[in-house]
Amino acid sequence: MRNVQLNTSLLNQPIMLPNGSVIPNRLAKAATSETLATYSNNPTEKHVRLYQRWASSGIGLIITGNIMIDRRALGEPGNVVVEDERDFAILQKWAKTVTEQGSQLWAQLNHPGKQSPKGLNIRNISASAVPFEAEMQSLFATPYEATHDEIIEIIQRFGRSALICKKAGFSGVEIHAAHGYLINQFLSPLHNLRKDEWGGTPEKRRKFLLEVYKEIRKQVGADFPVAIKLNSADFQKGGFTEEDSFEVIKALSIAGIDLIEISGGTYESGVAKAPQKSSTIAREAFFIDFAQKVRAHVKTPLMVTGGFRSVEGMNQALESNAFDVVGIARLMAIDPDAPRFLLSGLNGRQTVKPIKTGIKKIDALGIMEVLWYTQQLKRISRGNEPKPNESGLWAFIKSVLRSGWGTYATQRTRSK
């Protein structure tokens, strides 16, 4: 990618959210899977080091990787869980290391539903007892259908976790409703087969999400940023479509959400799956076409994540006025200082490339590249530099071994 200095007035422009909060520029570090917590799910100094490095780049907004709301419902070994104030001191330190450098830090709150490796949780629940596709059933068990009481408890947990993060000094929270996790499972007619108040029609399928938002807003108040990460579509036959997503976005906008991050895909179909249209690929922003449709009807600030490769592409995308914030994630794993260059009108030192193991069945899994980038975050958290050319196969093997050990260690921790 050529490194030519450009006019960066748009990337450097601050943005005011509906509640009056101001993000200092238009660059955001989108959430990435980190799994840096202990096997008791406590945040550590590794989080502080990683986020200190990112914040020093001058990026306007940093969104954490999965912070789970329930120790009984983990997406991976090493997830941070915030369900009470036992880790309040390190949460405060984590938040302060970012905000004192001028960036905002938002906690991404999540529940995995059925999207959790076999054996990690005692009982996985979902909207309905729908198994994964055949090729992934060896990794993920068929879930139980959540009861009404379990649904109500989860809604309350989202609110409680958001309030704890606010008290600890985080700048905002983001609800993870994308990429095949629990809220996405409720939204999808493929995974939600219920016929009660939580399913059966598009309105009922989105009730769970809207109740989560209401509970969070009730706990944190009107002046605290609450955002959402939402799929434009799941890219699965019979699943959550662009039409479904558009209706959810309209409902959230009316409810008062502060920012909507648009992404796409699931672990089954591929996370942040690239579009097929050459015109969209050329514009870099994978989901800009959908964002343009949304922008015509919704004034809520929009963030688009996926596909950005150059400072020129980012500025051109912002000039379209289809969205307001550029989300970058994988680039931050291989070039944590990239925002410093981008905000100066220069391309970063690294370019995001496809990661392959050479084994077709593994490379077809949407989770494969997530594992490789997670390895890079672990290096940065230890104070080392990332390895942009690390073997995809070697990273996959290490991840599988670590996940196996992590599942065993998590089980042992629970049994004590």
Side-chain angles (χ1 to χ4, degrees), residues 5 15 24 49 52 74 80 115 151 170 193 210 268 281 300 359 392:
Q5 191 155 6
I15 177 171
R49 282 194 291 271
Q52 189 280 331
L74 306 175
V80 171
Q115 199 159 267
I151 293 170
F170 284 73
L193 307 180
L210 291 172
E268 289 180 283
I281 294 172
T300 303
I359 303 172

Side-chain angles (χ1 to χ4, degrees), residues 114 116-119 132 134-141 365 367:
K114 66 180 179 180
S116 177
K118 279 186 175 179
F132 276 79
E135 60 268 24
M136 299 191 73
Q137 289 179 17
S138 62
L139 301 175
F140 300 97
L365 297 176
I367 197 173

Side-chain angles (χ1 to χ4, degrees), residues 78-95:
N79 280 153
V80 171
V81 175
V82 174
E83 60 181 3
D84 52 40
E85 296 189 12
R86 73 182 73 180
D87 297 313
F88 197 74
I90 190 69
L91 287 173
Q92 284 184 306
K93 187 174 183 180
W94 183 1

Side-chain angles (χ1 to χ4, degrees), residues 262-276:
I262 297 171
S263 190
T266 69
Y267 280 4
E268 289 180 283
S269 67
V271 174
K273 183 178 178 181
Q276 300 303 311

